[in-house]
Amino acid sequence: MAKPAQGAKYRGSIRDFPDFNPSQDAETLYNAMKGFGSDKEAILELITSRSNRQRQEICQNYKSLYGKDLMADLKSELSGDLARLILGLMMPPAHYDAKQLKKAMEGAGTDEKALIEILATRTNAEIQAINKAYKEDYHKSLEDALSSDTSGHFKRILISLATGNREEGGEDRERAREDAQVAAEILEIADTTSGDKSSLETRFMMILCTRSYPHLRRVFQEFIKMTNYDVEHTIKKEMSGDVRDVFVAIVQSVKNKPLFFADKLYKSMKGAGTDEKTLTRIMVSRSEIDLLNIRREFIEKYDKSLHQAIEGDTSGHFLKALLAICGGED
């Protein structure tokens, strides 16, 4: 799998709107929502073409001009998938992620896929901001929430990821070989020499959850040299359940994060029915980070553009808003 060159430029599809005028934008939105029915076209066009920072300014201006809460007004005017998408774009990123995590843990079942997708891919700074936002919004720490909603080894992995404490440095060749050896032992390719299974599992978790991305790339290369196997393939074969899924997600994210998201987007639209929640979550959360890279990986792997996939799978204003975020045909 091709990996992005070190220091590869990640680019979002949404950037600051030039000649930005927040009070004028606030007025446009107010007019689009006043009276009977709303001009959804005008709303989605404006919001998808402003950056998140600019949307926060529009909120402020809306409040000072009209004494009303823009989020509340949008909520009452929009519904369904479009509402989820537009309201998601309006939230500051860390608060949006916090809300997605909260939603994944609400009610009877847990949405492990969403927990994994967020916690396995965010940077230290992003994770730390999410922790702060979670506490602010829900008066409970993210760690406590994860603790009461998940269990066993999976819980420990998520809590480790949620500390946002991954090393930031480069690779250490000597340590990479040792790490690869631990991986080979836990994945039962090499003979176990260094202790029992559960302490090995803990070491493997520590390696995947706390080593830096450049270091882990080296570990994966050493692993291939040592075993002739690819670490991702081996995890899929040797492990099962949520633990397998979260480890695979970390490995894929380390190898090529935009490709990881391209795969998730493809799956959200594949076959009968659409997984609108995943589709929305990724389009919103990656729109200012690496959506252009995701688009490139998407067309390379699936021989059709993200734009085409969205067009073939959604409809109405939701479709128009998604295409606006996508930002063009490849």
Side-chain angles (χ1 to χ4, degrees):
M1 183 151 68
K3 64 168 214 240
Q6 279 316 150
K9 271 315 277 162
Y10 288 139
R11 289 177 55 218
S13 57
I14 295 180
R15 292 194 274 287
D16 281 342
F17 185 75
D19 307 320
F20 173 55
N21 182 336
S23 59
Q24 195 181 322
D25 286 353
E27 190 182 345
T28 303
L29 289 171
Y30 182 76
N31 290 330
M33 291 189 283
K34 79 172 189 233
F36 185 70
S38 56
D39 183 350
K40 293 184 177 59
E41 202 95 354
I43 295 170
L44 73 85
E45 210 167 280
L46 191 141
I47 289 171
T48 56
S49 60
R50 305 297 185 269
S51 67
N52 194 280
R53 191 182 59 81
Q54 291 174 328
R55 294 180 204 122
Q56 305 315 316
E57 277 190 62
I58 297 169
C59 278
Q60 292 292 319
N61 276 268
Y62 193 88
K63 193 164 273 180
S64 56
L65 288 168
Y66 305 109
K68 297 179 79 177
D69 182 343
L70 178 54
M71 289 291 273
D73 283 0
L74 287 167
K75 213 173 258 178
S76 67
E77 293 293 338
L78 307 171
S79 61
D81 294 327
L82 181 67
R84 257 200 302 275
L85 183 66
I86 296 296
L87 291 165
L89 289 169
M90 293 302 300
M91 294 179 80
H95 290 267
Y96 180 73
D97 278 348
K99 185 176 183 183
Q100 301 312 304
L101 291 169
K102 174 88 163 60
K103 274 193 166 146
M105 293 183 277
E106 258 166 15
T110 303
D111 181 354
E112 291 86 1
K113 282 188 176 56
L115 295 179
I116 291 170
E117 177 208 300
I118 295 169
L119 293 172
T121 60
R122 301 308 191 251
T123 63
N124 284 344
E126 286 165 347
I127 294 271
Q128 281 148 19
I130 291 168
N131 274 296
K132 200 163 152 263
Y134 199 96
K135 192 131 209 170
E136 255 172 54
D137 296 345
Y138 308 111
H139 312 293
K140 178 181 188 175
S141 75
L142 175 57
E143 185 188 324
D144 286 348
L146 289 167
S147 241
S148 52
D149 211 69
T150 57
S151 61
H153 206 58
F154 181 56
K155 167 173 103 172
R156 291 173 56 198
I157 298 162
L158 292 183
I159 287 175
S160 173
L161 290 170
T163 57
N165 211 11
R166 193 177 280 288
E167 293 162 4
E168 304 271 9
E171 59 185 70
D172 170 341
R173 289 213 164 182
E174 198 39 54
R175 190 162 67 148
R177 273 192 287 275
E178 288 165 22
D179 289 347
Q181 177 66 34
V182 170
E185 288 178 21
I186 188 75
L187 296 168
E188 294 175 357
I189 295 166
D191 296 326
T192 300
T193 52
S194 51
D196 64 286
K197 187 97 169 154
S198 79
S199 74
L200 265 177
E201 277 192 350
T202 303
R203 282 178 66 192
F204 188 54
M205 171 183 93
M206 189 185 74
I207 291 164
L208 285 180
C209 295
T210 68
R211 303 286 197 255
S212 73
Y213 271 35
H215 180 80
L216 283 171
R217 288 194 192 108
R218 168 65 58 196
V219 173
F220 302 160
Q221 285 166 355
E222 293 294 335
F223 184 87
I224 291 176
K225 269 192 225 159
M226 210 174 270
T227 65
N228 286 324
Y229 290 107
D230 171 65
V231 73
E232 179 186 337
H233 178 77
T234 313
I235 291 171
K236 283 177 178 165
K237 207 165 117 276
E238 295 293 334
M239 295 185 154
S240 61
D242 296 328
V243 170
R244 181 196 66 184
D245 294 345
V246 68
F247 282 155
V248 167
I250 295 169
V251 172
Q252 290 175 338
S253 176
V254 168
K255 283 182 177 177
N256 185 337
K257 199 181 285 186
L259 179 59
F260 169 84
F261 286 115
D263 285 340
K264 295 281 175 266
L265 284 170
Y266 181 77
K267 287 195 186 96
S268 76
M269 296 182 276
K270 199 180 96 187
T274 308
D275 175 1
E276 291 88 359
K277 286 198 171 92
T278 300
L279 176 55
T280 298
R281 190 172 57 238
I282 295 175
M283 294 297 283
V284 169
S285 64
R286 308 317 290 180
S287 60
E288 290 184 42
I289 298 177
D290 54 6
L291 195 55
L292 292 184
N293 309 76
I294 292 167
R295 265 168 50 184
R296 195 167 58 238
E297 297 293 347
F298 194 98
I299 196 164
E300 256 177 48
K301 180 160 179 183
Y302 298 110
D303 283 328
K304 69 171 168 183
S305 66
L306 178 57
H307 193 281
Q308 281 169 304
I310 291 168
E311 252 178 339
D313 215 68
T314 58
S315 61
H317 289 110
F318 182 53
L319 161 67
K320 281 196 171 132
L322 285 171
L323 291 181
I325 298 169
C326 180
E329 172 65 284
D330 292 305

